Amino acid sequence: RENEQRARKRKMRLLTHNMLSSNIKGVANGFPLRIEVEKVVEKQVDFNADFLKNMFAKIEWKALVDASRSMGYSELPGDANPAMLDSDDFLQKFHHALLELHLEEGALVCPETGRKFPVNKGIPNMLLHEDEV
Amino acid sequence: MSSRPELQSQPEIFYNDEEARKYTSSSCIIESQAQQSERDMELLALPDDGVPRLLIDIGIALEREVEGDLMLADMGQDEGFRPGVIDGAINISAVQWLCNADKTSHDPRLRLKAFFGSLYRCLTRGARAVLQVYPEKLAQRELILGFAMRSGFAGGVFVHNPHSTKKRKEYLVLNCGPPSLSAATPQGKREQEESCSDDEGSGDKENQTVYSSVCISGRQRPRKKQKITKKGNGREWVMKKKEQMRRREMSCLQIQNTKLKRKARF
């Protein structure tokens, strides 16, 4: 039982959101997806500075800033550069935005077509309809 | 697997809650899946430098407890990742679903093409994808490999326990671009180089782990002149080893070097 409950606590973190793009046929630039929030949950996640420093290069910073704002968190600076990774204060904010804000219910929206990809119980549904492939 | 799930039903019907529960609650299967995953991880050969990496695991049953974020996507469609962000991909027994046309609008060829194409695009340079396959027949395996290669991958098939019908497992090991300098070589390959010269007839017992070779080849191989060094590692040596391997019935599919030019990526 406990395993089942644990298993059902899915999450969609902004780390994942930052990697996703709209895959509809004909869309030239499907990134970043806009976020429609119905339910956000904040969960505490162990802080790992090395992880953050290594992930920084992969992250599209502006997309992360906009996404975290739509989830209710406005502390991230508008611009970031690798030198800021030396600051613990910056890392804490980065950590919080990237890993501790979880979208449980809502949608990810294609920036070009407005098509919504629903997020239910923390799982984004990226399945395309036949005519979108 | 005595009865192939993908032959019984369409994927979304088979993996409903009850079936998925079977995959999680049966301890035998949990172990088997976990073992497969570990093998996938070994074959991924991520550099041991402590740098965290983003991996995707494709085709897992929904009930399983997983650490990362889940998303629902169709393997035969573009999964929707930004280009070049994923460091590795592992996959347990999902590729063969693509070979079945479960809806009339699904052409297996198009779906395989879409799958490998989007997989290639989302992987970072030098990243690797390890997929376990259970091809029904040789033709199906060739089909899968063909689409993998046409999408830009280099790689080969790694067979674990080739002599055991029960324990035999085949892995498709695909490289996205030339491997980075720090990437480790899978153990199988090292054994290929060493074991070909000795231990000719051994390793036929069912419970002995017999590693077959990993044949890594592809269009991106740099055109070095093949010098005959003192060890004789020239073309002759390579052909001789291949012949030895064939005679020992080790399963190793060599991907043909094609003459197609590699498309520009990134």
Side-chain angles (χ1 to χ4, degrees):
Chain A
R1 293 271 176 270
E2 219 177 291
N3 275 343
E4 276 182 31
Q5 279 177 9
R6 246 204 322 260
R8 288 187 205 283
K9 280 185 185 157
R10 308 296 185 199
K11 49 193 186 301
M12 199 209 76
R13 301 165 294 178
L14 292 185
L15 170 61
T16 301
H17 165 264
N18 206 266
M19 303 298 134
L20 292 177
S21 161
S22 166
N23 43 353
I24 300 168
K25 178 174 73 174
V27 166
N29 189 8
F31 177 86
L33 297 158
R34 281 196 332 264
I35 302 183
E36 264 182 24
V37 174
E38 276 169 49
K39 185 174 174 198
V40 173
V41 176
E42 291 194 20
K43 297 192 184 176
Q44 198 185 18
V45 172
D46 288 342
F47 178 85
N48 182 336
D50 286 331
F51 179 82
L52 294 167
K53 289 176 185 177
N54 284 302
M55 283 295 131
F56 182 79
K58 276 196 202 292
I59 299 292
E60 276 283 339
W61 189 257
K62 186 162 189 317
L64 179 65
V65 173
D66 291 340
S68 62
R69 281 186 190 153
S70 59
M71 304 269 270
Y73 183 68
S74 316
E75 302 295 308
L76 281 184
D79 284 302
N81 58 66
M84 293 158 85
L85 292 170
D86 291 328
S87 149
D88 189 61
D89 180 63
F90 172 79
L91 283 178
Q92 294 285 349
K93 289 176 179 165
F94 182 28
H95 167 80
H96 185 69
L98 194 70
L99 303 172
E100 294 190 324
L101 301 173
H102 297 182
L103 186 66
E104 272 199 18
E105 303 289 328
L108 302 177
V109 185
C110 173
E112 267 190 36
T113 65
R115 193 320 200 165
K116 296 187 189 184
F117 297 95
V119 179
N120 298 120
K121 295 186 183 149
I123 303 181
N125 184 341
M126 310 300 289
L127 290 172
L128 296 174
H129 308 311
E130 294 303 329
D131 57 351
E132 290 171 321
V133 178
Chain B
M1 277 192 178
S2 51
S3 76
R4 298 283 206 88
E6 67 268 23
L7 292 178
Q8 286 180 24
S9 162
Q10 298 173 19
E12 59 264 30
I13 296 173
F14 186 78
Y15 284 115
N16 61 16
D17 275 353
E18 277 142 31
E19 284 297 339
R21 204 161 281 130
K22 181 166 90 176
Y23 272 78
T24 50
S25 59
S26 160
S27 58
C28 176
I29 296 178
I30 285 180
E31 199 184 281
S32 168
Q33 291 269 20
Q35 279 176 350
Q36 291 171 13
S37 237
E38 277 170 32
R39 172 73 57 237
D40 279 1
M41 294 302 294
E42 258 178 56
L43 290 171
L44 258 184
L46 294 171
D48 193 12
D49 53 11
V51 175
R53 286 177 165 82
L54 278 183
L55 302 180
I56 52 175
D57 183 341
I58 311 165
I60 57 174
L62 272 180
E63 288 289 318
R64 282 204 61 203
E65 196 175 314
V66 291
E67 291 229 350
D69 296 358
L70 268 190
M71 61 185 264
L72 192 62
D74 187 336
M75 274 175 73
Q77 299 168 349
D78 190 330
E79 285 134 3
F81 287 107
R82 257 201 295 135
V85 293
I86 304 295
D87 299 312
I90 57 174
N91 168 245
I92 308 171
S93 335
V95 179
Q96 65 274 5
W97 286 108
L98 289 176
C99 296
N100 302 335
D102 43 88
K103 290 182 187 168
T104 46
S105 53
H106 286 177
D107 178 353
R109 286 177 160 70
L110 287 178
R111 286 165 66 71
L112 279 168
K113 183 180 169 193
F115 171 67
F116 283 116
S118 77
L119 183 64
Y120 186 87
R121 277 189 295 275
C122 78
L123 287 173
T124 190
R125 202 169 182 81
R128 192 177 268 189
V130 178
L131 289 62
Q132 183 172 5
V133 289
Y134 300 98
E136 290 186 316
K137 10 179 197 294
L138 192 62
Q140 202 178 72
R141 186 210 275 148
E142 295 293 337
L143 186 72
I144 294 171
L145 279 170
F147 279 103
M149 298 310 290
R150 257 169 268 163
S151 300
F153 282 112
V157 177
F158 181 100
V159 184
H160 188 215
N161 288 332
H163 306 296
S164 160
T165 38
K166 259 189 251 177
K167 292 185 189 172
R168 179 195 172 95
K169 300 220 190 301
E170 289 188 15
Y171 298 86
L172 204 51
V173 181
L174 302 170
N175 286 318
C176 181
S180 52
L181 288 170
S182 50
T185 315
Q187 196 175 359
K189 185 157 197 249
R190 269 203 296 280
E191 292 193 1
Q192 171 199 347
E193 285 160 14
E194 292 161 30
S195 68
C196 280
S197 53
D198 50 47
D199 240 26
E200 284 286 351
S202 69
D204 282 351
K205 293 177 194 159
E206 288 221 355
N207 34 358
Q208 189 175 355
T209 302
V210 178
Y211 281 83
S212 266
S213 53
V214 177
C215 300
I216 305 289
S217 71
R219 306 171 215 161
Q220 297 90 325
R221 184 182 282 160
R223 296 184 184 259
K224 287 189 219 167
K225 284 187 205 169
Q226 283 196 323
K227 274 186 183 178
I228 311 278
T229 67
K230 283 183 185 166
K231 289 181 190 168
N233 285 341
R235 186 179 151 72
E236 252 180 50
W237 180 86
V238 171
M239 299 312 292
K240 181 175 143 211
K241 290 305 168 195
K242 281 188 183 177
E243 198 41 52
Q244 268 182 5
M245 277 162 39
R246 266 183 221 120
R247 273 186 269 123
R248 290 168 66 193
E249 288 173 33
M250 286 184 119
S251 302
C252 162
L253 283 188
Q254 185 86 28
I255 310 299
Q256 306 288 339
N257 277 330
T258 66
K259 298 228 171 87
L260 293 172
K261 289 211 173 101
R262 184 163 177 262
K263 287 181 234 178
R265 302 250 181 217
F266 311 116

